[in-house]
Amino acid sequence: MQTPMHLKVLLPFAVFIDTDDVTHIVVETRAGALGLLPRRLDCAAALAPGILSYTSASKGERCIAVDAGVMIKTGADVLVSVRRAFAGTDLRQLRVAIEQQFLALDAEERKMRSVMAGMEAGFMQQMARYQHG
């Protein structure tokens, strides 16, 4: 019997999940799905918004919708840090929630960053004129 993994999912201000009898984890990265078993080598991955699924010896298969973040596996410990997460039983509902909440917010953040970059560029141009004028 393999030693189970310890999975901890962290949000910015809370621990979302902390369970220590995990036998299998699947996360989504920008390059595709990544599966983790207890004897897998240590690794790190940038996570894309998607479904994190794991199998617990006591609770069976569980799924969580997670936002972008990072996953680090060291030994039997798997640490996932994401901005937002929520659990559910229906994969279709979790997928819809990801599309509506996480991806829509990412588009708004990109738009806001673009506006801020334009404001910063304008400010820098005015400062340059002020120094040379």
Side-chain angles (χ1 to χ4, degrees):
M1 167 120 182
Q2 294 186 23
T3 304
M5 295 179 285
H6 176 219
L7 173 64
K8 188 181 275 190
V9 177
L10 301 175
L11 301 177
F13 301 105
V15 175
F16 187 74
I17 288 177
D18 189 357
T19 185
D20 60 0
D21 63 347
V22 177
T23 58
H24 183 250
I25 302 170
V26 177
V27 295
E28 292 185 30
T29 70
R30 299 218 186 272
L34 174 66
L36 301 172
L37 294 171
R39 300 185 92 197
R40 188 184 198 294
L41 293 176
D42 294 350
C43 63
L47 302 181
I51 304 292
L52 179 151
S53 64
Y54 66 96
T55 304
S56 165
S58 62
K59 300 173 190 163
E61 187 172 3
R62 301 286 185 181
C63 296
I64 334 169
V66 295
D67 200 353
V70 295
M71 182 276 312
I72 300 170
K73 180 184 183 304
T74 53
D77 295 322
V78 179
L79 180 64
V80 175
S81 179
V82 294
R83 290 184 285 179
R84 295 175 293 260
F86 57 93
T89 56
D90 184 4
L91 284 177
R92 183 173 290 135
Q93 287 179 338
L94 289 175
R95 281 276 175 216
V96 169
I98 290 167
E99 292 170 4
Q100 290 178 347
Q101 293 183 16
F102 300 161
L103 299 178
L105 286 174
D106 287 344
E108 285 182 31
E109 288 174 6
R110 282 194 298 273
K111 184 177 177 182
M112 181 62 77
R113 286 188 192 125
S114 175
V115 168
M116 292 298 291
M119 290 173 61
E120 289 172 3
F123 177 75
M124 294 303 287
Q125 288 173 353
Q126 287 181 353
M127 290 298 290
R129 278 190 236 133
Y130 177 75
Q131 287 180 339
H132 290 34

